[in-house]
Structures are given as structure tokens and as C-alpha cells.
Amino acid sequence: MATEYSSLFTFFGGTGDLAKRKLYPSLFKLYVRGNLGEHFAVLGTARDSWTDDKFREVVTQSIKDDQPDADMHAAEIFVSHFYYIAHDVTDKAHYAVMKDLVEKLDKQYSINGNRIFYLSMAPRFFGEVALNLKSEGLLSDDGSNRLVIEKPFGTDFSTAETLNKQLSGAFDETQIYRIDHYLGKEMVQNIQALRFGNTFVESLWNNRYIDNVQVTLSEKLGVEDRAGYYDTAGALRDMVQNHIMQIVSQLAMEQPVSFTDADVRVEKIKALRSLRVYSPAEAAKNFIRGQYGANDTEPAYRDEPNVPKDSHNDTFVAGKLLFDNYRWSGVPFYVRTGKRLADKFTRIDVVFKKPLIDIFAFPQNRDNSLAPNVLTIYVEPNSGFSLQLNAKTAGQGFETEPIHLDFQQDVAQKEETPEPYERLLHDTLKGDQTNFASWDEVSYAWKFVDVIQKLWDSETPDFPNYISGSMGPAASDELLQRDHRAWVYRLNR
Ligand code: NDP
Ligand code: BG6
């Protein structure tokens, strides 16, 4: 039996792309699963003057688009809880009208003052909305008040800090839910189950046994129609500062005292504190960037709509991260992400050290050396694990070959797996912050990224430097070759 929560959701940017494509369909799934019951209402807001009926039609359509087999009778009841108000977030007078409606809906649906304010709009509004919500009396005195904010959280440490100060003027840290949708992914959450639920994994999870860790977030699509945002962000700020840092901190963290949001955060923060922040010279050595050029069928980044012809924006990043702590000293974490790469996938490869002595190679089999053990976590599109071991090749003689123990989620398990936004909305209702980024995590991530960004802003790169459909520039491979290593996932595999 699903737990029912009561809440009044207010979606700022309620007519926008994210709300329609992800938020309303995810909320409907929670409704169908029984997490919303009767005591909920949804208030959509934006400047357009829509009626409630128009809003309900749009939400119904967004459900149909996302879930063609949805129970439309349930959808009809669901959307009857939806209301719309035209509201300019920069106009304080509008908040009084909103307050009246919020209080009316609270009573009408017996919500007991539980409020979720979801800011699905341009980040430049986040601080102002938060402060206005408080000053204009939209926060309830009796129930819970939660603020959900989308990325990006600032454009560097200083802007993030300013934003955080504004948010803190209205909400305390336990009320702020900073979305990082990678934390809603099943296999990212599985990192902790794999590590802390298996003695043999955790006992080897350190610099005595692990040689290096590789994290790849590869995208096949290009910038699409998001040049306005993306050309000012680049892959480093768009993917590394948030998603990659969140994944890496879970791979590097110590075991939390308990599996609660507070204890997990403590350990992630501790891990990020020991991440070495590079000097500019170290950043130049350990991070490389790229921008895609054309191939036979796809345009170069600079020829994409609304991208300046001389853009120096990075669409690819690869780098080496080092943790200065007892567990990880000497173990590089290599990360890479980019647009218009060979395929769309996310994977983590943990490469173990080879045995110190390869008794099988000497003296008869010099050419048949042992492969490293590799534990791969497939995040997407497949969800599963694979462990590469060495085994004897069947037959006469004694040669070894790598074999794989594989686990992949089946269709039934995949169907049971909630989409990231459904999971994160559910966590917000529950008041569980485990899968949201805390301010400390965000701030350490920015401090790390800022050095690299500042260095790159001061130099003119020779772009484009990789072909669409490849795995990035040659410098990405060279980054590992220099350390006598190679990416586990390579195109010719
Ligand atoms: P859109 O541009 O599609 O939507 C913006 C919304 O804000 C619209 O509803 C717009 O309506 C409203 N708005 C703009 N100005 C005001 C104002 N002054 N007062 C009130 N409402 C206003 O953006 P997205 O939905 O794409 O993105 C929203 C947020 O989510 C951003 O932070 C983005 O970075 C983040 N995000 C989006 C993703 C996506 O897939 N779309 C993925 C990950 C994050 P109107 O103009 O009528 O007022
Ligand atoms: C978003 C980035 O945060 O993540 C996009 O802004 C990127 O540029 C997207 O495409 C990738 O998410 P996913 O879930 O498709 O891997």
C-alpha cells in the first residue's frame, strides 16, 4: 500500500517545457501509484493568462504524450485538482492574489499547510521568488514549506553563493531541494547498495586494490535548440559541476553512519572536501576540452541554430580528479562527457589492480597477460553491472581469458523503475533530501570547477577538435595514455 501525502504544489514556470514534458506526467504517475490521494492541489503559474480549463487541457495532453496507455479516467480526476493563475514573479502585488488562492485551495483540499514551491523557470528568478514567497506571506505556519529548484545553481562559486544567501533569507537548508536529476537515476542510487551492501566490494574499494575509476556521460545529440543557455554554460558547467561531481562523490565517499539524508550528505561533503582543487597549471595538465565539428550528416556546433560562428564553448570535457585522503591517495578518477559522441550512454568503470605477479605468464606464456578486473556499472540505457574476471581458457594448456559476470535489469524491473522526476517529486513529498544536492556539495563542486573554467576563459582553444560521432578529441585518450592507461569503453570495442 502506497503512502499518501498531502501537499499543495505551486509550479512557477507552469507553462514551460520542463513542467509539461516531465513534471506533470511524473506527478500523474505518483497519483496513479496512490501517493497523492485526495488531499492535494496543483497551482500552475506563468505570465500567460490561461484559464483553469486551458491548463487542465495542457496537462492532460502532456500525460497522453508521455504515457499513451494512461488511464484517461484517472487523468480526468487528477487534472480536476489543477488550477492556474497568471502571475509575474517580479511583481510583488501578484503574490497577494496568489496567497488568497493558495489558502483557499489549502482549505478546500484539507492540505494542512503542506506546501511545495517548484521553481521551473530561468534561474535568474530563483532568489527573488524565494524572498517574495516569504515576505508576501505565502509560507504556511502549520505544515511543511519546501522549495524545489532546478539547475543551474549559479554560474560559478560567487553567483551560487549569492543565490544561496537569497534562498537562505526565506528557507533553511532542510527546506531547499536542489534538483540533480542524475540522483534520481536507478543505477546512480545503486552505487551505494553495491558498495555498502556487499562485503567483498567495499573491502576492495580503496587504493590498495583499485587502479583507477572512469565515469563517462556520453550524449549522441548535439545542442538542439538550447544554444541560448548552453553556449554560455558549456559541458564543464552543464554536466561536470553537477551530475559528474555527484556521481564521483558517491563513488569516493566513506560509509555513512546510517542511510539517512543527513548522514549520507556528511560523507559526500567529506569526500568533496578532500578533492584536490587544482592550481591553473595542474588544471591545464589534467583537464581537456573539445567542441564538435561536422561529419557527413551532422553540422558542426558552430553551425547549429543560434550558436555564434566563432563560439569557443566546450561541448566535451575530460579530466582527472584526485582525492587527497587515505582511501584514494594515488587513484585517479577519470571523467568525460560530451555532446554528439558515438552513442548515448552513462557508465562507470572501476578498474582493479592486476595481481602483483602474473604466475601464468612466466615462463611459458609471456604473451598471455592477465586482464584487469573491471566492475562496470551501466547507468543508462541499460541498467546493470558487469564484473570482468580472468578464467582459464577451456582446453589443453594453460591460458587465461577475461570472462564477464553480468546482471541487467529485465523489462519487468525497468517498468517498475520510476523516472528520475517521479522519484525526486516523491522524495520531496516525503521530505527526504538524500537525492538532492546540499549547499556544501554545490559549493565544493564550484570551487573545483571555477579554476578550470577561469583558465579556459583566458585562452583561445583551437576548435572544432573532434568529429561528431567519435568519442571526443584525441587529447581525451592522451590524458590516460600519459598515465599508461586507457578508457575501458573505446569505440572499437
Ligand atoms: P521554459 O523557457 O520552457 O519555461 C519558462 C517558464 O517560465 C514559462 O512558463 C514562462 O512563461 C515562465 N516565466 C518566464 N518569465 C516569467 C516571469 N517573469 N514570471 C512568471 N513566469 C515567467 O524553461 P524550461 O521549462 O525549459 O526550464 C525551466 C527550468 O528547468 C530552468 O531552470 C532550466 O534550466 C531547468 N531545466 C530544464 C530542462 C528541460 O528539459 N527543459 C532540463 C533540466 C533543467 P511566460 O513566459 O508565459 O511567463
Ligand atoms: C541536463 C543537461 O542536465 O542533462 C543537458 O543540461 C543534458 O545538456 C542532460 O543533455 C542529460 O541528461 P540525461 O538524463 O539525458 O543523461
Side-chain angles (χ1 to χ4, degrees):
M1 184 76 183
T3 309
E4 257 182 39
Y5 301 95
S6 69
S7 190
L8 173 62
F9 293 85
T10 304
F11 286 105
F12 292 89
T15 61
D17 174 68
L18 183 72
K20 287 189 282 194
R21 267 189 325 107
K22 300 281 184 194
L23 304 180
Y24 303 143
S26 298
L27 210 53
F28 178 61
K29 285 189 183 163
L30 287 178
Y31 175 73
V32 171
R33 287 187 204 262
N35 292 126
L36 288 176
E38 294 303 313
H39 303 291
F40 80 98
V42 178
L43 182 57
T45 84
R47 288 168 304 177
D48 260 5
S49 30
W50 287 6
T51 60
D52 290 345
D53 281 344
K54 157 96 182 176
F55 185 42
R56 290 171 188 173
E57 268 167 39
V58 170
V59 175
T60 306
Q61 190 57 47
S62 76
I63 293 169
K64 276 190 196 150
D65 291 346
D66 185 71
Q67 299 148 47
D69 300 330
D71 172 350
M72 292 320 291
H73 177 63
E76 204 179 315
I77 303 171
F78 173 70
V79 299
S80 71
H81 292 246
F82 279 59
Y83 298 82
Y84 183 84
I85 184 173
H87 173 97
D88 183 336
V89 294
T90 61
D91 188 337
K92 270 200 174 187
H94 286 187
Y95 288 83
V97 184
M98 182 182 267
K99 180 173 191 275
D100 290 345
L101 184 53
V102 162
E103 284 170 359
K104 182 175 153 244
L105 292 174
D106 196 315
K107 278 205 192 75
Q108 185 178 333
Y109 289 94
S110 309
I111 289 172
N112 297 328
N114 295 323
R115 295 183 189 166
I116 293 176
F117 301 98
Y118 198 121
L119 308 194
S120 176
M121 61 191 318
R124 67 178 183 282
F125 295 120
F126 293 170
E128 186 173 4
V129 179
L131 291 171
N132 285 341
L133 286 172
K134 172 148 180 149
S135 68
E136 304 315 302
L138 268 292
L139 306 189
S140 72
D141 298 325
D142 35 5
S144 58
N145 293 291
R146 296 181 183 141
L147 181 75
V148 186
I149 46 176
E150 271 298 335
K151 59 166 289 204
F153 197 91
T155 53
D156 56 13
F157 173 70
S158 157
T159 52
E161 191 181 35
T162 304
L163 170 57
N164 203 54
K165 279 190 185 142
Q166 287 177 310
L167 299 184
S168 313
F171 294 85
D172 67 43
E173 182 65 21
T174 62
Q175 298 173 310
I176 302 173
Y177 292 69
R178 296 178 194 80
I179 292 264
D180 185 314
H181 76 281
Y182 267 69
L183 291 178
K185 294 188 190 245
E186 183 73 9
M187 294 311 290
V188 172
Q189 300 197 349
N190 236 315
I191 294 172
Q192 299 199 30
L194 183 70
R195 287 190 56 193
F196 305 125
N198 297 291
T199 317
F200 89 95
V201 176
E202 191 52 17
S203 57
L204 302 180
W205 206 259
N206 57 54
N207 55 7
R208 281 185 69 194
Y209 302 105
I210 292 181
D211 180 78
N212 73 92
V213 178
Q214 304 181 9
V215 177
T216 305
L217 274 55
S218 167
E219 297 197 79
K220 204 171 165 59
L221 292 174
V223 64
E224 299 186 276
D225 56 0
R226 294 173 68 220
Y229 151 73
Y230 192 78
D231 199 63
T232 61
L236 182 66
R237 284 186 282 220
D238 186 48
M239 299 291 277
V240 177
Q241 188 276 337
N242 39 51
H243 309 320
I244 287 188
M245 293 302 249
Q246 282 295 334
I247 292 174
V248 164
S249 65
Q250 299 204 36
L251 292 167
M253 70 193 261
E254 294 298 317
Q255 176 159 320
V257 173
S258 72
F259 192 58
T260 57
D261 47 7
D263 286 337
V264 170
R265 280 182 165 190
V266 166
E267 297 306 333
K268 280 166 74 189
I269 292 164
K270 236 164 70 189
L272 289 170
R273 279 179 57 199
S274 60
L275 176 65
R276 190 182 304 173
V277 176
Y278 290 135
S279 66
E282 287 170 326
K285 192 169 154 222
N286 292 321
F287 266 79
I288 66 100
R289 57 179 157 164
Q291 185 189 88
Y292 59 84
N295 64 12
D296 292 344
T297 51
E298 285 147 336
Y301 175 71
R302 288 175 180 174
D303 292 325
E304 298 273 22
N306 302 320
V307 173
K309 294 285 175 221
D310 58 351
S311 171
H312 294 141
N313 192 35
D314 47 297
T315 63
F316 180 94
V317 180
K320 172 161 103 173
L321 281 66
L322 295 169
F323 290 90
D324 290 319
N325 60 26
Y326 188 72
R327 185 188 283 261
W328 294 118
S329 178
V331 179
F333 283 61
Y334 299 106
V335 302
R336 62 180 164 168
T337 183
K339 293 204 184 279
R340 274 266 207 267
L341 298 182
D343 215 341
K344 167 76 182 160
F345 65 89
T346 299
R347 64 186 274 164
I348 299 159
D349 295 290
V350 180
V351 183
F352 289 84
K353 292 183 174 167
K354 292 189 192 182
L356 290 179
I357 296 169
D358 179 352
I359 59 164
F360 308 114
F362 185 80
Q364 312 92 328
N365 285 324
R366 283 175 194 280
D367 297 335
N368 178 226
S369 63
L370 291 168
N373 299 133
V374 180
L375 174 64
T376 301
I377 303 173
Y378 296 100
V379 177
E380 277 176 350
N382 300 324
S383 304
F385 309 108
S386 166
L387 180 59
Q388 175 172 285
L389 301 172
N390 289 301
K392 180 183 172 301
T393 308
Q396 283 286 10
F398 203 102
E399 297 206 337
T400 58
E401 63 182 354
I403 54 147
H404 295 91
L405 303 184
D406 289 325
F407 163 76
Q408 292 288 336
Q409 277 196 340
D410 60 25
V411 177
Q413 285 168 319
K414 278 202 159 184
E415 270 171 15
E416 271 310 298
T417 303
E419 291 286 318
Y421 274 100
E422 181 189 346
R423 197 190 297 265
L424 296 176
L425 281 166
H426 184 251
D427 287 352
T428 311
L429 279 166
K430 250 169 71 184
D432 182 344
Q433 294 187 304
T434 311
N435 296 309
F436 295 85
S438 69
W439 164 242
D440 284 334
E441 292 160 50
V442 172
S443 65
Y444 284 115
W446 272 127
K447 283 178 184 163
F448 178 79
V449 158
D450 275 359
V451 181
I452 304 159
Q453 189 66 54
K454 201 166 162 208
L455 171 77
W456 287 356
D457 288 345
S458 71
E459 292 171 347
T460 306
D462 191 11
F463 281 169
N465 62 351
Y466 70 97
I467 298 174
S468 289
S470 67
M471 276 310 288
S476 164
D477 294 332
E478 287 158 14
L479 189 72
L480 278 73
Q481 279 159 13
R482 201 181 64 197
D483 296 344
H484 309 289
R485 298 188 174 99
W487 292 107
V488 173
Y489 176 88
R490 291 191 294 274
L491 256 190
N492 55 2
R493 283 170 61 87

